[in-house]
Amino acid sequence: MTTTLRINGETHEVDLPGEVPLLWVLRDEIGLTGTKFGCGVAACGACTVHVNGVAVRSCQLALDDVDGEVTTIEGLGGPDALHAIQAAWVKHQVAQCGYCQSGQIMQAADLLARNPAPSDAEIDAAMQGNLCRCGTYPRIRAAIHDAAAAMKGA
């Protein structure tokens, strides 16, 4: 069955069963490998993308259940035009192994879209479903505050 998806502003048609998780559609069919497979049960957040601007775990979202615009880390910003959150991540050297970072950044973007000036507690609450084995949580929090300030001034 052919399904039409809108991903990062582009239209894609895929011929896959409806139960295929969005994560595999993005990675294997579309070639957007910035979204990572972590746990496969929506517990780690490595696969976080946005659907209609809301953070979702793409490993547990079936293709048939995707309703709206999908944004991946590739659609948030790019090397030539980093999103404020990506720039803050670089500034604070958040990434260590880097594996979870695309999901972390997408979750942070969702947070800042809903709350442009979050407190430490609000950041911790919003980000608690995104795990980082390297333990970069203090850097993540600092980068989110920095991105919030940059986005406020934009």
Side-chain angles (χ1 to χ4, degrees):
M1 175 178 161
T2 300
T3 303
T4 301
L5 296 169
R6 186 101 176 130
I7 303 169
N8 299 334
E10 296 182 13
T11 301
H12 299 270
E13 289 192 7
V14 296
D15 186 17
L16 294 167
E19 66 271 13
V20 172
L22 176 61
L23 174 62
W24 301 124
V25 175
L26 295 171
R27 291 184 58 83
D28 294 347
E29 291 296 312
I30 311 295
L32 296 171
T33 58
T35 304
K36 304 299 183 195
F37 173 78
C39 64
V41 294
C44 75
C47 66
T48 303
V49 299
H50 294 174
V51 176
N52 292 326
V54 177
V56 299
R57 304 300 194 243
S58 63
C59 72
Q60 292 294 302
L61 182 62
L63 178 60
D64 274 352
D65 295 330
V66 177
D67 184 20
E69 174 83 21
V70 176
T71 305
T72 69
I73 190 71
E74 293 92 344
L76 197 63
D80 297 331
L82 293 176
H83 185 280
I85 298 169
Q86 294 168 316
W89 243 246
V90 172
K91 177 182 173 185
H92 290 274
Q93 298 181 6
V94 174
Q96 289 191 12
C97 84
Y99 198 81
C100 69
Q101 297 304 306
S102 61
Q104 299 275 1
I105 290 170
M106 296 307 288
Q107 188 68 44
D110 177 84
L111 168 64
L112 292 179
R114 292 180 289 105
N115 181 353
S119 67
D120 283 348
E122 290 167 330
I123 291 171
D124 292 347
M127 303 299 293
Q128 70 179 354
N130 289 75
L131 305 179
C132 174
R133 288 182 171 189
C134 301
T136 63
Y137 301 110
R139 292 181 189 176
I140 289 170
R141 190 182 306 126
I144 291 172
H145 282 301
D146 201 48
M151 292 167 72
K152 185 177 180 181

